[in-house]
Amino acid sequence: MYTLTTKLKVFAVILMLVGAAFTVIGFLNVPGSEQEVEQMLADHDAHGSSHVDDDHSATSDENVHKETGYVTDNSVDHPEDAHTTTPHEAEDHSGSHAEHVYHQLQNRPWAAIYIAGFFFFMIGLGVLAFYAIQKVAQAGWSPVLFRVMEGISSYILPGGILMFIILLCSGLHLNHLFTWMEAGVDDPSSEAYDAIIAGKTGFLNVPFWLIRAGIFLVGWNIYRWNIRKFGLKQDDAEKGDIKWYKKGFKHSAMFLVFFIVTESIMAWDWIMSFDPHWFSTLFGWYVFASMFVTGITTIALVTIFLKSKGYLEFVNDSHIHDLAKFMFGISIFWTYLWFSQFMLIWYSNIPEEVTYFVTRIEDYNLLFFGMVAINFLFPLLILMNSDFKRVNWFVVTAGLFIVIGHYLDIFVMVSPATVGESWFIGFPEIGAFMFFAGVFLLYVFHTISKAPLLAKGDPYLDESKHFHY
Amino acid sequence: MATQKIHALYNDDDILLRAVKQIREQHYHIEEIFCPFPVHGLEKAMGLADTRLAINAFLYGIVGLAVATVMMNYIMIEDWPQNIGGKPSFSYLENMPAFVPIMFELTVFFAAHLMVITFYLRSRLWPFKEAENPDVRTTDDHFLMEVDAHGEDIESITKFLYDTGAVELVLIDNEDH
């Protein structure tokens, strides 16, 4: 039985406090008005190296129109600005550069919270999906890790609540993260009218969007709640009585069906709708691959941590080896999906699709390609060797790269549509990451300390204990 | 000079594995073991070195990647950089996404095929090769262990092998090959 140490508690609380402080600093640093931004930009230009000048003349003319990247038909109302208008600009049709940057800077701390909140939530969800797959596949190696997985996936309760609050804030117009939520986008008489978004309001409207999010979160949490309960009851069951195991098996199978549908829709709702003019059919899978590999990596990291503290004497090299194989394989699966999405759009180069990548390549060049390198090359080269997969510090190194890489992956999914070229990884981003990391650690290790680390009722437990690869 | 060896036949892989351990403890030299199917852990029990085939495959894969890159860089970028459907052919990097499927496939192709060929060469397998089967039953249901008996006391080694569970023992007098 694991006991939550004060050291870990204090560490997590410090993370949360410092993170919260940084996030507050991020909010305080948002300029108060457009005039301030104008002043700021003017100052910036006045320093005037030629490089800065180039940059800004380019951004003010072109990049403004790439914000959500598309061509919309507002020509009837606004012939002078026929080719693109985003709702952000449309709010005030003077459409000045300063106003645009002002909105981006306002979005920045919100986007930072959203990214970190989603990132940690998706780790919990990815682990839950992995857990359900292990149950349904009747895997013989993993039952010794079930309690670790249950611990990590428990985060979807607090994480889901936080996520829902963040979504609710957007729905209540406390921020401008989602352009399709702006007032008047679906009203032809409004300045902010956007024909394309108006055509999607049957799906993209705040009440339906929140209801969907609620259903998904409740559904996932019910499964998590039940499967944990079944696991604990199976522990207490008489020898030979596997009623609870069978029940868990059936629930897991049903959950996986529910999950694959809801996960897809969740990816459209929570991530893809940041760019409401853009769509991609494999996006749900892409987000899934990201959460799956991060989840498996987290299982490996937590397992190695607990084992190093002497709590998992029944976990051997071969279990770590198997987890590392999963990290390796799913990293490549993620890359495959990333590339499939990128290459198909790059190849056909259809304007309404390709702007998604144009903004990313122009404004996020290093981050965009850098995260592919981190998420692909590092796991590929570090984890290819069979011997290295048994060496804990190799797995931890690769795992840290994967975790950071997938945070950046989510960052590059969300930021271009919300903060655009005004992005930076500073106080709000690091602060939000630390805050959610603190909540995550505290809750996950709290849950792990609640039950014995060996799921002794599982019928595959003996096989798993003697697992040897 | 004549050498002597003993063919010890077993009919169960568990007994075989145990026998291998006992024989190695006695420091008798096992020349070869013939099995009808892979026996898990046999190579560990015999103390054989790990295969390096995977390392080979990795290197072959790098060769394949290099071949694909050099080939397409020469053909598509250097030799005749045409404008094909507006794809940028100014540098390799600019047009790289279009080349990735080929780079990937050639990497796999080289890694797989050259590794298989390496395997054939190292294990000396080819069509029309004369089979080196000491006893036809080893491809069906018997395991045969070839123990070097040269310079050993034939009586005691035979007795020892019989005690390890061998069902049949044959003393072979080899002339020089």
Side-chain angles (χ1 to χ4, degrees):
Chain A
M1 197 99 161
Y2 173 73
T3 34
L4 194 55
T5 54
T6 354
K7 221 160 107 189
L8 194 106
K9 249 188 249 174
V10 170
F11 177 67
V13 170
I14 288 176
L15 269 183
M16 281 161 72
L17 291 178
V18 175
F22 280 13
T23 311
V24 170
I25 293 174
F27 273 102
L28 295 177
N29 273 343
V30 171
S33 68
E34 270 172 55
Q35 282 71 37
E36 258 180 65
V37 176
E38 245 166 79
Q39 187 58 42
M40 196 178 81
L41 291 173
D43 287 351
H44 198 54
D45 282 348
H47 290 300
S49 70
S50 61
H51 169 71
V52 172
D53 275 341
D54 282 354
D55 230 26
H56 275 266
S57 55
T59 32
S60 54
D61 295 340
E62 294 164 12
N63 290 3
V64 162
H65 300 303
K66 283 184 193 130
E67 187 182 342
T68 49
Y70 63 92
V71 179
T72 189
D73 184 17
N74 276 3
S75 52
V76 187
D77 299 320
H78 312 292
E80 80 286 353
D81 188 13
H83 68 293
T84 86
T85 309
T86 64
H88 276 191
E89 296 163 69
E91 284 165 20
D92 169 11
H93 228 266
S94 63
S96 72
H97 181 42
E99 192 214 350
H100 179 65
V101 174
Y102 173 56
H103 281 301
Q104 293 185 335
L105 291 175
Q106 265 191 325
N107 270 344
R108 206 184 126 195
W110 282 104
I113 292 175
Y114 193 97
I115 293 163
F118 179 78
F119 176 71
F120 282 99
F121 175 76
M122 87 172 185
I123 293 178
L125 193 58
V127 171
L128 191 65
F130 187 72
Y131 179 61
I133 289 171
Q134 297 301 310
K135 290 247 172 200
V136 170
Q138 305 184 339
W141 67 279
S142 53
V144 292
L145 301 171
F146 277 175
R147 285 292 141 81
V148 174
M149 296 186 208
E150 283 168 13
I152 301 171
S153 61
S154 71
Y155 179 74
I156 68 165
L157 182 62
I161 292 169
L162 287 170
M163 202 56 214
F164 194 79
I165 292 171
I166 299 169
L167 296 178
L168 201 62
C169 288
S170 295
L172 296 172
H173 302 290
L174 296 177
N175 57 46
H176 301 272
L177 288 181
F178 294 90
T179 51
W180 57 266
M181 286 179 187
E182 300 304 322
V185 274
D186 57 344
D187 175 8
S189 63
S190 161
E191 287 277 284
Y193 179 62
D194 183 317
I196 292 175
I197 294 179
K200 297 185 180 184
T201 45
F203 188 75
L204 283 183
N205 60 75
V206 173
F208 187 31
W209 180 77
L210 282 177
I211 290 168
R212 281 196 306 262
I215 291 171
F216 301 164
L217 288 169
V218 168
W220 299 330
N221 272 296
I222 286 176
Y223 168 70
R224 214 313 294 191
W225 187 261
N226 278 333
I227 199 73
R228 167 76 163 188
K229 197 174 68 193
F230 298 163
L232 293 179
K233 287 204 168 161
Q234 183 64 59
D235 274 7
D236 300 334
E238 282 173 48
K239 206 167 159 50
D241 173 20
I242 55 165
K243 187 176 83 187
W244 294 105
Y245 167 79
K246 284 182 171 169
K247 217 167 162 165
F249 178 89
K250 284 180 196 148
H251 277 242
S252 302
M254 288 187 294
F255 165 74
L256 283 173
V257 176
F258 176 77
F259 172 77
I260 205 57
V261 176
T262 50
E263 189 277 336
S264 247
I265 302 174
M266 178 272 280
W268 311 334
D269 278 359
W270 296 4
I271 307 275
M272 198 157 75
S273 80
F274 281 116
D275 298 274
H277 288 265
W278 180 80
F279 51 85
S280 163
T281 41
L282 62 69
F283 198 76
W285 282 106
Y286 174 62
V287 174
F288 168 73
S290 212
M291 68 168 63
F292 204 48
V293 69
T294 327
I296 293 166
T297 304
T298 313
I299 298 173
L301 294 177
V302 174
T303 305
I304 290 173
F305 171 76
L306 287 174
K307 188 168 163 54
S308 75
K309 297 281 170 207
Y311 291 105
L312 295 173
E313 74 283 355
F314 37 83
V315 170
N316 58 38
D317 279 4
S318 297
H319 294 109
I320 305 292
H321 189 137
D322 261 29
L323 283 171
K325 272 191 280 189
F326 266 107
M327 284 160 64
F328 175 75
I330 308 294
S331 278
I332 288 167
F333 176 65
W334 173 87
T335 314
Y336 165 67
L337 290 178
W338 176 84
F339 183 71
S340 301
Q341 179 167 283
F342 174 72
M343 195 261 237
L344 284 186
I345 290 174
W346 173 87
Y347 213 115
S348 56
N349 204 16
I350 302 170
E352 64 262 37
E353 286 181 351
V354 84
T355 43
Y356 183 82
F357 288 112
V358 170
T359 45
R360 277 156 182 79
I361 291 171
E362 280 183 357
D363 300 333
Y364 291 76
N365 197 295
L366 186 65
L367 210 57
F368 183 59
F369 291 111
M371 71 89 183
V372 178
I374 294 174
N375 288 336
F376 174 59
L377 288 181
F378 280 92
L380 181 83
L381 295 175
I382 298 176
L383 293 178
M384 193 186 298
N385 190 311
S386 179
D387 295 333
F388 292 177
K389 285 196 273 260
R390 293 168 173 272
V391 181
N392 282 351
W393 69 268
F394 264 105
V395 179
V396 171
T397 311
L400 292 178
F401 275 118
I402 291 173
V403 169
I404 299 298
H406 283 280
Y407 171 78
L408 295 178
D409 181 22
I410 304 295
F411 188 87
V412 175
M413 282 191 227
V414 174
S415 281
T418 49
V419 271
E421 69 270 29
S422 310
W423 72 272
F424 190 72
I425 295 194
F427 278 114
E429 286 79 11
I430 293 171
F433 187 89
M434 286 168 76
F435 176 77
F436 283 100
V439 179
F440 183 84
L441 285 179
L442 199 60
Y443 198 84
V444 164
F445 281 97
H446 175 71
T447 315
I448 289 176
S449 70
K450 286 281 191 166
L453 278 163
L454 190 63
K456 67 176 166 45
D458 196 284
Y460 288 95
L461 188 69
D462 268 352
E463 183 179 339
S464 177
K465 271 169 147 179
H466 300 120
F467 173 68
H468 173 75
Y469 168 74
Chain B
M1 189 188 116
T3 57
Q4 283 188 313
K5 55 190 177 184
I6 294 171
H7 281 177
L9 279 122
Y10 296 83
N11 56 11
D12 187 286
D13 48 343
D14 289 332
I15 296 171
L16 174 77
L17 269 180
R18 209 178 323 123
V20 169
K21 277 169 201 150
Q22 290 168 354
I23 290 164
R24 270 170 55 84
E25 273 166 24
Q26 294 298 314
H27 299 291
Y28 291 127
H29 179 67
I30 299 172
E31 293 266 327
E32 193 68 88
I33 296 180
F34 296 85
C35 300
F37 53 78
V39 177
H40 259 291
L42 186 60
E43 80 283 3
K44 283 219 174 65
M46 288 174 71
L48 299 181
D50 278 348
T51 172
R52 285 164 299 179
L53 217 47
I55 299 168
N56 273 299
F58 179 71
L59 297 175
Y60 296 145
I62 290 175
V63 172
L65 185 64
V67 168
T69 312
V70 170
M71 176 179 78
M72 280 179 303
N73 184 49
Y74 177 69
I75 297 172
M76 302 301 289
I77 309 295
E78 281 173 12
D79 190 35
W80 198 313
Q82 292 182 94
N83 181 340
I84 303 168
K87 284 279 159 285
S89 52
F90 308 109
S91 76
Y92 191 77
L93 206 58
E94 266 183 313
N95 208 357
M96 200 187 77
F99 301 144
V100 166
I102 300 161
M103 289 156 74
F104 171 77
E105 293 294 350
L106 279 186
T107 307
V108 175
F109 180 88
F110 272 65
H113 289 82
L114 291 180
M115 175 174 68
V116 168
I117 292 168
T118 308
F119 168 73
Y120 286 153
L121 291 177
R122 288 292 285 140
S123 27
R124 310 177 65 73
L125 284 174
W126 52 82
F128 310 114
K129 173 182 161 99
E130 207 178 322
E132 298 166 359
N133 193 355
D135 189 315
V136 286
R137 287 171 297 172
T138 58
T139 63
D140 182 16
D141 62 348
H142 275 68
F143 304 82
L144 188 149
M145 187 194 297
E146 217 172 74
V147 184
D148 184 11
H150 186 61
E152 306 279 353
D153 174 17
I154 300 294
E155 273 302 302
S156 66
I157 192 169
T158 316
K159 172 83 174 59
F160 179 76
L161 286 173
Y162 181 75
D163 287 344
T164 60
V167 289
E168 193 177 318
L169 290 162
V170 189
L171 181 67
I172 309 273
D173 262 330
N174 282 24
E175 295 309 313
D176 293 325
H177 328 251

